[in-house]
Amino acid sequence: MSAISGLIRIMEKAARKAGGRLRRDFGEVEHLQVSRKGPSDFVSKADRNAERTLWDELRAARPEWGFLMEEGGEIAGEEGKPRFIIDPLDGTTNFLHGIPHFAISIAVQEPKLDGSGWGEVTAALVYQPITDESFWAEKARGAWLQDRRLRVSARRHLDESLIATGIPFQGAGDPHEWSRIYTALAPQVAGIRRFGAASLDLAWVAAGRYEGFWEKGLKPWDTAAGCLLVREAGGFVSDWKGRSLPVCDAEVLAGNDALHSRLHKVLAAAVKG
């Protein structure tokens, strides 16, 4: 096993502390105070509390670093320092409906050397509080589930592959474009799943549970950690034009090393079509 770095230990400690509170709140989900952010996009008291816990823990450990958070927005750190990208509760709608499939996502992104913005993601952690699974990765050090090295699936044929996606819903996504992709891809694969938490979808690609994943219209906090997990597990992540960006969020296509290019051809043809 690769020795867990001090940074990953800090991230995992913060995630486990926030995750413990999410587990307790999940047991009391019917009593949560819930407000609307937009159509079918909810934010709960548990969501805000989890983000505050992550902020407190990570800020105490790295006070000079910046933050990009789903609820709290962007908070600048000292010049030249990295930032944490945080989703305190990916899968909020699952959580609020009593579905035990949600995660905490934390990534570390480095500033570009020329000061022109943000560059590569160098550390990532996706923590599933209900199953107590901690997926983590560091650049050039591999991807891991607890102390077990992860590797993307070895399947080489689309007809034996399981693919994950995010389905457009009220106020988000393009259902007509999604339908074209689904119509082109579904007859060629063993199955398509929609579980409702993109960070876990990407972590499961890294773990070989899925062969691929596609979705459009996500945010950096949804995918930053997952992109690194897939890449460090030997897979590929790109946008729909095939570009391997540090964080693919507006368009994301992930796959194992054998199938990413084939998935991209199917998707690109369907979108163009």
Side-chain angles (χ1 to χ4, degrees):
M1 173 187 172
S2 177
I4 299 177
S5 71
L7 177 57
I8 292 294
R9 290 189 185 280
I10 288 167
M11 293 162 63
E12 186 169 34
K13 178 184 175 185
R16 287 185 177 278
K17 186 171 183 179
R21 294 178 178 179
L22 285 178
R23 280 194 299 272
R24 290 193 295 273
D25 285 337
F26 185 68
E28 301 292 334
V29 68
E30 68 273 14
H31 303 305
L32 289 177
Q33 298 176 15
V34 179
S35 61
R36 280 285 189 106
K37 287 196 298 186
S40 299
D41 190 8
F42 302 102
V43 58
S44 69
K45 181 179 178 181
D47 201 326
R48 293 190 295 269
N49 286 345
E51 185 169 278
R52 182 64 197 216
T53 297
L54 295 168
W55 156 266
D56 287 342
E57 291 291 316
L58 296 173
R59 187 72 169 178
R62 295 290 189 273
E64 71 278 15
W65 289 20
F67 287 79
L68 178 63
M69 301 180 286
E70 182 179 15
E71 307 301 338
E74 186 169 7
I75 300 173
E78 294 182 11
E79 185 176 355
K81 295 296 183 180
R83 68 176 179 179
F84 291 107
I85 303 177
I86 294 173
D87 191 338
L89 178 50
D90 182 25
T92 305
T93 303
N94 283 349
F95 184 92
L96 292 174
H97 284 80
I99 298 171
H101 188 79
F102 52 88
I104 294 167
S105 178
I106 307 172
V108 173
Q109 189 175 29
E110 303 290 334
K112 291 183 178 178
L113 294 177
D114 61 6
S116 62
W118 293 99
E120 63 181 1
V121 174
T122 54
L125 185 137
V126 174
Y127 178 63
Q128 218 291 30
I130 299 301
T131 61
D132 194 36
E133 290 180 305
S134 180
F135 302 86
W136 61 273
E138 287 188 281
K139 187 172 177 60
R141 298 188 67 208
W144 303 78
L145 171 54
Q146 262 88 310
D147 60 353
R148 179 171 65 84
R149 184 72 179 262
L150 294 180
R151 178 72 190 177
V152 292
S153 164
R155 292 185 176 90
R156 294 296 183 260
H157 303 288
L158 283 176
D159 62 5
E160 60 184 15
S161 298
L162 188 62
I163 309 299
T165 187
I167 299 174
F169 54 92
Q170 183 184 11
D174 182 340
H176 300 294
E177 183 179 70
W178 184 90
S179 180
R180 290 199 302 272
I181 297 169
Y182 176 85
T183 300
L185 186 60
Q188 301 188 52
V189 300
I192 293 177
R193 300 289 184 266
R194 197 277 190 180
F195 279 5
S199 63
L200 279 173
D201 287 333
L202 289 164
W204 285 16
V205 173
R209 299 175 186 178
Y210 295 136
E211 277 65 57
F213 166 75
W214 93 89
E215 191 167 355
K216 184 176 183 178
L218 296 171
K219 299 295 183 181
W221 46 80
D222 297 313
T223 65
C227 286
L228 183 65
L229 280 164
V230 173
R231 287 164 174 154
E232 286 296 314
F236 294 91
V237 185
S238 72
D239 66 9
W240 293 3
K241 296 181 179 66
R243 299 176 299 186
S244 182
L245 307 173
V247 178
C248 295
D249 52 355
E251 299 172 348
V252 56
L253 174 65
N256 71 17
D257 51 331
L259 295 176
H260 179 273
S261 62
R262 297 183 213 175
L263 291 169
H264 178 253
K265 288 179 182 178
V266 174
L267 186 150
V271 170
K272 184 178 180 181

